[in-house]
Amino acid sequence: MRYFLNRIGFLILSLWAAVTLNFILPRLMPGNPAQAMIAKQAGNINPTALKAIEQQLGLSHGPLYQQYFQYLGNLLTGHWGDSFQYFPTPVVSIIGSSLPWTIILLGAVTIIAVVVGTLVGILIAWRRGGVADNVIPVATMFGQAIPSFWLGLICIYFFAFIHHWFPLAHGSSDSVNQGYNWPFISSAIYHSLLPAFVVFVGSISGWIIGMRNNMMTTLGEDYVVFAEAKGVSTRRLIFSYAARNALLPQLTSLAIALSQIISGQILIEQVFSYPGIGYGLTNAVSSEDYPLIQGMFLIIAVTALVINFIVDMLYGRLDPRVRRRGATS
């Protein structure tokens, strides 16, 4: 219980810090969002009209502490404001339309990369010193070393622009209506294959090498050597004795990977013009869209903190040593 309460206290403190930074950082940006929006529409405008537009957008020139408490009240009541860039569309609606694209794409790629990388890491660690152990880690590291945006541009040029095997951009075809229908689903899958491949190539190496190194350490433990000497079957020795304990450090990497799903692959989404959170966030920053920036950052921060809290609980459950250390700290 002490370990649980310590984790809960840290989560609450982290959430407060994230919310406070989310309030402060956009207001440190130079410029006026209303002036930026008017400049795109009609150029110069007189101060009276500018003030009226600022009031309509909900911009306040009051003391910072008043804005802060008003911001906290709006968060608790679910009023996250309207987007400046897509006025008068609510921020919640924009985030709701962007989140599924990012979650489905990166969530599926992350799950596939974790499963494939973990299994490959287990197998090459068991057959250490073989051809697979010497070739696979080195080959996959080339994919991780290549910048993702550069690999994305290369894939677009060869597979989309030259050969027309994949679409150049966007999350689905403009000729289909979004909804739970097969034309839209098939179009979304088709548009996601190329960015999914780029993300997979950049992430698979970490899972393979991480699991291989963990397995190599675990296979040298006394209990594994003793079980092998007793004649335990190979399959049980690998998965029940070695891999089960080697998976614990992978939970930390999994927490980081899951927390990055919501933030999206900003460069990848920009390269492919994929309508996810990362793409929307860069557009919001360039347009000085304070409410949309705050809303997206809040979703990213809260998701990362909650996922790390859940993984901490799982870690404490799976490894009593962590629970005892956390209770005494």
Side-chain angles (χ1 to χ4, degrees):
M1 180 58 68
R2 186 178 299 175
Y3 174 78
F4 175 76
L5 292 177
N6 286 339
R7 295 296 95 190
I8 283 289
F10 180 76
L11 175 64
I12 294 174
L13 181 62
S14 301
L15 286 174
W16 172 79
V19 168
T20 303
L21 287 174
N22 193 36
F23 168 80
I24 294 175
L25 291 179
R27 285 163 174 77
L28 296 179
M29 296 173 57
N32 187 319
Q35 289 180 341
M37 188 177 69
I38 293 302
K40 295 179 181 179
Q41 302 293 332
N44 296 326
I45 192 171
N46 63 72
T48 304
L50 178 62
K51 185 176 181 180
I53 293 174
E54 290 178 345
Q55 292 178 350
Q56 187 177 12
L57 294 177
L59 295 174
S60 175
H61 294 285
L64 198 62
Y65 71 90
Q66 290 183 358
Q67 298 183 41
Y68 179 66
F69 286 113
Q70 183 181 6
Y71 166 72
L72 293 179
N74 291 335
L75 284 183
L76 295 176
T77 56
H79 299 291
W80 292 10
D82 298 329
S83 170
F84 297 163
Q85 184 181 5
Y86 305 102
F87 187 82
T89 307
V91 168
V92 177
S93 300
I94 298 175
I95 295 176
S97 62
S98 300
L99 267 179
W101 294 100
T102 296
I103 292 176
I104 293 174
L105 172 65
L106 297 183
V109 174
T110 300
I111 292 173
I112 294 173
V114 170
V115 173
V116 173
T118 300
L119 291 176
V120 172
I122 291 173
L123 295 177
I124 65 176
W126 180 253
R127 300 181 180 273
R128 53 192 178 278
V131 176
D133 188 23
N134 293 323
V135 173
I136 293 178
V138 176
T140 55
M141 284 183 66
F142 278 106
Q144 189 176 20
I146 299 174
S148 58
F149 68 91
W150 185 82
L151 179 60
L153 292 173
I154 294 298
C155 290
I156 289 176
Y157 179 75
F158 282 103
F159 300 128
F161 182 74
I162 298 296
H163 297 290
H164 305 287
W165 293 344
F166 297 97
L168 287 169
H170 306 303
S172 63
S173 176
D174 296 333
S175 60
V176 298
N177 296 322
Q178 294 190 12
Y180 295 102
N181 54 79
W182 176 245
F184 170 71
I185 294 175
S186 60
S187 176
I189 294 174
Y190 179 53
H191 280 71
S192 67
L193 291 177
L194 208 55
F197 169 76
V198 174
V199 176
F200 179 82
V201 169
S203 61
I204 187 64
S205 175
W207 297 108
I208 293 176
I209 296 175
M211 192 61 192
R212 175 196 176 275
N213 294 339
N214 295 337
M215 279 289 293
M216 295 287 284
T217 303
T218 307
L219 288 172
E221 297 289 342
D222 293 338
Y223 67 90
V224 177
V225 177
F226 181 71
E228 187 176 8
K230 285 180 61 178
V232 175
S233 64
T234 301
R235 181 175 180 180
R236 185 181 178 190
L237 185 67
I238 293 175
F239 293 100
S240 298
Y241 284 80
R244 183 176 180 179
N245 293 299
L247 280 172
L248 289 175
Q250 292 285 85
L251 284 177
T252 304
S253 301
L254 181 61
I256 297 174
L258 291 177
S259 62
Q260 290 176 346
I261 287 177
I262 302 301
S263 61
Q265 291 277 352
I266 294 179
L267 293 178
I268 295 297
E269 292 183 1
Q270 279 291 325
V271 168
F272 289 93
S273 297
Y274 198 78
I277 287 291
Y279 182 75
L281 183 58
T282 53
N283 290 338
V285 171
S286 62
S287 302
E288 299 180 12
D289 194 342
Y290 290 172
L292 188 56
I293 295 172
Q294 289 178 326
M296 288 186 170
F297 270 130
L298 184 64
I299 290 292
I300 293 170
V302 170
T303 304
L305 291 172
V306 170
I307 288 176
N308 279 279
F309 171 76
I310 294 173
V311 172
D312 279 343
M313 294 296 100
L314 290 175
Y315 221 109
R317 180 66 178 174
L318 295 174
D319 191 348
R321 296 172 298 177
V322 176
R323 188 165 62 246
R324 287 195 294 268
R325 287 197 298 265
T328 58
S329 60

